[in-house]
Amino acid sequence: MSVTGRTTKIAPSVLSADFTRIADEIRSVEGAGADWIHLDVMDGHFVPNLTWGPKIVADLRRIATLPFDCHLMIEEPERYAGAFREAGADTITVHWEACRHAHRMVQQIKELGAKAGISLNPATPVALLEDLVDDLDLILIMSVNPGFGGQRFIPRALEKVREARALVERSGRSVEIEVDGGIGVENAAAVVAAGASVLVMGSSIFGTGDPAGAVRRIRRALEDSH
Ligand code: DX5
Ligand code: ZN
């Protein structure tokens, strides 16, 4: 537990993992106390990169024990949410910018029995969630432009996390505030202090050659910052 009264969740993003050894990679972060497994789905349209579809998620579900946090960086997410839920997604997060009917999309995810998240690109203001916050389980603030791991944290994201925290406090609901991109041991505590409850980290965990050690170091950095 932190001074904020929240326990920060660590969500390693397997985008930066070695897929020839993916079972070992996942088990090592699970053994080190990670909380969620973050799965980045990219379609080559919404973002200029491609990753995987529901088959890979379903296969990973057989070897992982932690909840699956599915981040859909795709156009027309309403066409695929069901397939990812069936594959084992516990949380399904779609992008505000990819939804013509964000409210309907959120209801669809909840009807599938998953937790519903909306993600905001760096140029999309938090205020747009004012009329949606009562329906959300999670707000994902992108602190890089989506599409690739290993990018630099955009400082303005900290202010957006504060705005998201204020929005959630006003709603009186318990909504996770997740932050994704450019987070590592050096800035994790600052992101949490701004109001984040879930930290997504790819390269700073799987890019280190010692994912378990990286998870432990980040946890320690968060504890030391109290
Ligand atoms: C980027 C993805 C992230 C990515 C983050 O579009 O959404 O989840 O894995 O990678 P790092 O932590 O390396 O910035
Ligand atoms: Zn992501």
Side-chain angles (χ1 to χ4, degrees):
M1 199 73 96
S2 75
V3 277
T4 60
R6 291 183 292 276
T7 306
T8 308
K9 292 186 176 70
I10 295 177
S13 162
V14 298
L15 184 65
S16 293
D18 177 352
F19 265 76
T20 64
R21 318 171 30 254
I22 192 61
D24 290 344
E25 297 271 71
I26 288 181
R27 284 186 197 119
S28 67
V29 294
E30 290 192 334
D35 298 279
W36 291 352
I37 301 296
H38 185 82
L39 296 165
D40 291 298
V41 177
M42 304 187 190
D43 66 352
H45 292 277
F46 182 71
V47 288
N49 197 4
L50 291 158
T51 54
W52 47 76
K55 160 77 163 83
I56 298 283
V57 175
D59 283 3
L60 296 179
R61 187 64 284 169
R62 290 191 281 114
I63 53 120
T65 55
L66 289 176
F68 274 2
D69 176 32
C70 256
H71 178 192
L72 302 187
M73 284 161 275
I74 63 175
E75 302 282 2
E76 302 185 275
E78 65 279 3
R79 289 178 60 193
Y80 299 100
F84 284 102
R85 173 62 180 155
E86 215 165 291
D90 296 281
T91 301
I92 298 178
T93 298
V94 297
H95 269 261
W96 172 268
E97 305 83 6
C99 294
R100 187 161 295 168
H101 298 285
H103 183 272
R104 179 183 287 150
M105 184 71 239
V106 166
Q107 304 313 318
Q108 184 189 337
I109 295 170
K110 288 160 96 170
E111 277 158 25
L112 291 167
K115 289 198 159 60
I118 290 279
S119 181
L120 302 177
N121 277 340
T124 306
V126 171
L128 289 172
L129 296 181
E130 192 80 42
D131 294 318
L132 207 53
V133 66
D134 288 342
D135 298 279
L136 291 177
D137 298 304
L138 181 145
I139 295 171
L140 172 53
I141 304 290
M142 288 307 299
S143 39
V144 297
N145 283 294
F148 301 94
Q151 302 179 77
R152 208 189 302 217
F153 188 90
I154 297 171
R156 165 75 190 155
L158 276 185
E159 188 50 35
K160 290 179 73 178
V161 174
R162 284 186 206 106
E163 290 168 11
R165 176 52 60 196
L167 180 67
V168 166
E169 297 300 324
R170 280 202 302 281
S171 79
R173 296 185 62 253
S174 122
V175 180
E176 299 280 9
I177 298 178
E178 182 172 45
V179 187
D180 186 1
I183 302 174
V185 71
E186 67 295 341
N187 60 357
V191 180
V192 171
S197 59
V198 187
L199 301 181
V200 177
M201 284 170 279
S203 50
S204 65
I205 289 180
F206 291 109
T208 60
D210 176 18
V215 170
R216 288 195 198 98
R217 273 191 295 281
I218 289 154
R219 183 74 72 199
R220 216 173 304 129
L222 295 176
E223 281 161 9
D224 290 349
S225 70
H226 295 177

